[in-house]
Amino acid sequence: MRVVIRSFHARAAGAAAALALGSLAVAQVAPGPNVSPRAVWSHPPETFTSRVVASGLEDPWEVTWGPDGFLWITERVGKRVVRVNPADGSRKIAISIDEVHQTLPQDGLLGLALHPQLLRGSNFVYVMYTYDADPSAAEERRSKIRRYTYDSASQQLGEPVDLVTNIPHGPDHGASRLVIGPDGKLYASRGDHGSNFLAYHCEPIRAQELPTAADIAARNWQGYEGKILRINLDGSIPDDNPLLNRVRSHVFSYGHRNPQGLAFGPDGRLYESEHGQDTDDEVNRIEAGRNYGWPLIAGNKDDQYYTYANWSASAPTPCASLEYGRDVPATVPRTKESDVNLADFTPPLETFFTVPSSYDPRTLGNATAALAGLEVYASPTIPGWSPSILVAGMTSGVIYRLPLNATPAPPLTYFKAQDRYRDLAVAPDGRRIYVVTDAHGRTVSASGEMTATLEHAGALLEFTYAGTPPSESR
Ligand SMILES: [Ca+2]
Ligand SMILES: [Ca+2]
C-alpha cells in the first residue's frame, strides 16, 4: 500500500560494506548526503558474530529475555506465546490463544510483559491482543490486556484474567507494546489507527483528543487512540496518573502516531519509538501528561518537509471524493507546525530522516526507517555502549544505536540485513542481542531497492559481541 518509488536508502546502500558473519550477511550502512545533518552516521567499530536461532515463526512481534534463560516471543499471526531456548533453538508453546482475532498486518497477538518477580513469587505474564467483540458475523476489532499465570512445572500459561478490555483498535497502526515500569505499573502503547493515511485517509486522527469524564465513568476507552497508557496491575486507573483536561484516565501521554517501541532505562525513565509517516521517525523520552505532537507536529517543530494535511476536513469537495496521494488537493486544509501552539509539547530526543521542505519523495522515495521495538542497553560488556537506546528498523533492516549519555551524537547502524527487524532483546550478559523479524513485508535490499524478498523471514537472530579493534575503541 505504501507508495514507494525508489528507496531513500539507495545511496546509503551504495556505501554499504557487506560483512559475512556467521550465517548472516551483515552490512554497515551510512546514509546519503540529503539526510539531515543530525543523521550523518559513522561506521561502528564493534564486531559481532551472528546466527539464526529459530525460524518459521509466524510473525514474531515481541521478544523478551525471561528469568528462565529462554526468549519469550509472541507470534502475532500464530497467536501463540512461545519460549525459545537460545542454546539450541528448541521452542515450547506456553499458550495458544484462540480468542485472538487476526486478519490485518497490525493486529493479532502483540505485546507481552513478564512480571519482574516471575519465577520468584509472582508468576504473572501480561499480553495485549486484538479480538472480535461482535458475536455476530460482523467484525468489531478491539484490543485487550490479559494476565496469565505461568506454571513452571508444566511450562504453560493459564488462569486468564482480563484486565482492560474493549480498547478500540483500528485497521492499521495498532502499536500495543507492553512493559512494566520500576513503579510496578503496566505501560501500553496505542496507535492512531492509520487514520488520515492511505486507505483510511478520511478518518480523522484522534491522537490530540483526550478522554472526557463521561467516557471514563462509562469505561469507554475511545479517547485512547495515539496514547501511552499507564495501568495498575489489576487494570484500574492509577491515582497518580496525570490530570488531562481535568480528567484522570489511563492516559499517560498523548500525540503519538504508531509507538511500537517502549522500554525503561536504568535511569528509571521511559523511552519510546514511533514510526513516522513519510519522514520523522522519532525516539522520545515519555513523561507524564506531555504532548508528543502528532499529527500537528512530526519530529521537531521545525517546518521541514512534514505539514499536517487534514483530509477528513476537505471542503467543499468531501474527502470521500478524493484519492489519497502525496499531492495534497487544495481543498484539504494544511497546518504549518509553527502555526500550532500545543501546551506541553515535547520534542523527540532524536528524529530519524528529518528532511527539508525541498525533499521530493517522488524522486527520492520514502525516507522513514520504520522504527519498531526498542531497548535500553545498560551493560558494561560492550565498551562505550552503556547507556544507549537500541531500536529496530523495519524498512531499513538495521538496529540503530543512539548513545544516551553523550552530547548529541548521531545514531549508529548495526546488523544490516534484507529483513524487517520488529523487536529486540538483550541477554543479561550484555554480549548477545536477539532480534525477531517479520515473516512478510517490504524492506531495503543490499543494493538499495525495495523488495518483498526477506533473508530471514519469521526468525529469531542472535548477534554476539566479538570485540572492538583496540585502535578503534572509544
Ligand atoms: Ca512527536
Ligand atoms: Ca517537524
Side-chain angles (χ1 to χ4, degrees):
M1 294 280 288
R2 187 180 282 276
V3 182
V4 176
I5 297 165
R6 192 171 70 83
S7 167
F8 198 68
H9 297 267
R11 291 173 309 284
L19 308 170
L21 292 176
S23 55
L24 292 179
V26 178
Q28 298 173 330
V29 177
N34 291 352
V35 186
S36 80
R38 288 282 291 111
V40 176
W41 304 324
S42 59
H43 290 283
E46 303 88 2
T47 59
F48 291 83
T49 60
S50 62
R51 68 188 177 103
V52 179
V53 177
S55 56
L57 296 163
E58 290 187 69
D59 273 298
W61 201 85
E62 167 72 41
V63 58
T64 296
W65 183 274
D68 52 358
F70 280 58
L71 291 147
W72 292 62
I73 293 171
T74 59
E75 289 179 274
R76 183 179 66 80
V77 173
K79 307 179 183 180
R80 289 180 292 259
V81 177
V82 296
R83 295 166 52 252
V84 179
N85 183 343
D88 60 8
S90 62
R91 70 190 83 169
K92 292 180 162 55
I93 298 172
I95 194 167
S96 290
I97 306 175
D98 293 339
E99 191 195 30
V100 171
H101 177 73
Q102 193 284 313
T103 61
L104 294 171
Q106 298 206 21
D107 65 3
L109 178 56
L110 298 166
L112 174 144
L114 306 178
H115 193 286
Q117 299 302 315
L118 181 69
L119 304 183
R120 296 195 301 264
S122 293
N123 278 1
F124 298 130
V125 173
Y126 305 83
V127 293
M128 190 164 199
Y129 63 84
T130 50
Y131 65 105
D132 181 5
D134 190 319
S136 76
E139 180 188 56
E140 189 179 351
R141 187 180 295 98
R142 297 277 159 164
S143 172
K144 69 164 61 172
I145 298 172
R146 171 177 278 190
R147 188 191 81 190
Y148 284 103
T149 299
Y150 182 61
D151 176 17
S152 51
S154 66
Q155 302 184 355
Q156 295 294 296
L157 290 170
E159 303 175 44
V161 177
D162 287 345
L163 303 178
V164 187
T165 61
N166 220 25
I167 304 169
H169 193 104
D172 202 4
H173 298 178
S176 302
R177 198 64 70 183
L178 205 55
V179 66
I180 296 182
D183 55 359
K185 307 296 183 189
L186 267 171
Y187 291 77
S189 63
R190 306 302 306 146
D192 74 354
H193 295 195
S195 299
N196 201 48
F197 187 57
L198 300 176
Y200 315 108
H201 62 283
C202 293
E203 292 292 323
I205 295 175
R206 304 193 184 281
Q208 291 290 325
E209 295 179 16
L210 294 166
T212 66
D215 287 343
I216 300 308
R219 301 180 64 77
N220 177 342
W221 316 132
Q222 66 180 357
Y224 287 4
E225 296 178 27
K227 311 294 191 302
I228 307 288
L229 310 179
R230 179 173 181 264
I231 305 162
N232 286 326
L233 292 185
D234 64 1
S236 61
I237 294 170
D239 294 339
D240 56 349
N241 266 10
L243 275 174
L244 294 166
N245 254 354
R246 297 190 297 278
V247 175
R248 199 181 318 280
S249 69
H250 290 111
V251 174
F252 187 68
S253 65
Y254 62 110
H256 301 292
R257 183 174 184 267
N258 193 12
Q260 289 195 62
L262 204 58
F264 280 88
D267 54 2
R269 288 175 147 167
L270 179 59
Y271 296 91
E272 174 254 27
S273 57
E274 55 187 276
H275 185 165
Q277 180 167 299
D278 300 310
T279 62
D280 294 287
D281 295 280
E282 298 179 356
V283 169
N284 291 295
R285 183 153 55 211
I286 301 297
E287 294 178 54
R290 306 294 295 189
N291 182 346
Y292 290 83
W294 183 256
L296 295 164
I297 300 170
N300 290 299
K301 185 174 175 176
D302 53 9
D303 285 339
Q304 296 294 307
Y305 174 76
Y306 178 79
T307 303
Y308 175 44
N310 183 359
W311 289 76
S312 66
S314 175
T317 310
C319 182
S321 306
L322 303 176
E323 187 176 338
Y324 183 83
R326 281 204 169 99
D327 291 321
V328 179
T331 58
V332 173
R334 306 194 67 159
T335 309
K336 278 173 64 177
E337 291 180 331
S338 58
D339 287 341
V340 299
N341 190 14
L342 301 177
D344 298 322
F345 170 66
T346 302
L349 275 184
E350 183 68 73
T351 66
F352 292 67
F353 298 103
T354 294
V355 292
S357 310
S358 58
Y359 165 72
D360 185 351
R362 284 159 298 205
T363 55
L364 292 171
N366 191 299
T368 170
L371 295 184
L374 172 151
E375 289 293 334
V376 182
Y377 184 92
S379 164
T381 300
I382 304 180
W385 273 37
S386 180
S388 292
I389 284 175
L390 303 178
V391 59
M394 295 185 288
T395 312
S396 51
V398 298
I399 298 295
Y400 297 95
R401 181 168 76 84
L402 177 62
L404 272 178
N405 60 358
T407 47
L412 297 102
T413 62
Y414 296 83
F415 314 151
K416 169 61 185 170
Q418 191 170 303
D419 286 309
R420 288 171 60 84
Y421 288 165
R422 178 65 65 168
D423 192 30
L424 75 156
V426 180
D429 65 11
R431 188 168 298 277
R432 290 166 292 160
I433 297 169
Y434 294 90
V435 179
V436 289
T437 66
D438 284 3
H440 308 281
R442 289 157 63 82
T443 191
V444 173
S445 72
S447 60
E449 301 303 319
M450 288 303 290
T451 175
T453 304
L454 301 175
E455 281 179 70
H456 315 92
L460 172 65
L461 310 178
E462 178 191 72
F463 299 91
T464 303
Y465 177 63
T468 306
S471 62
E472 300 198 69
S473 293
R474 53 187 170 163

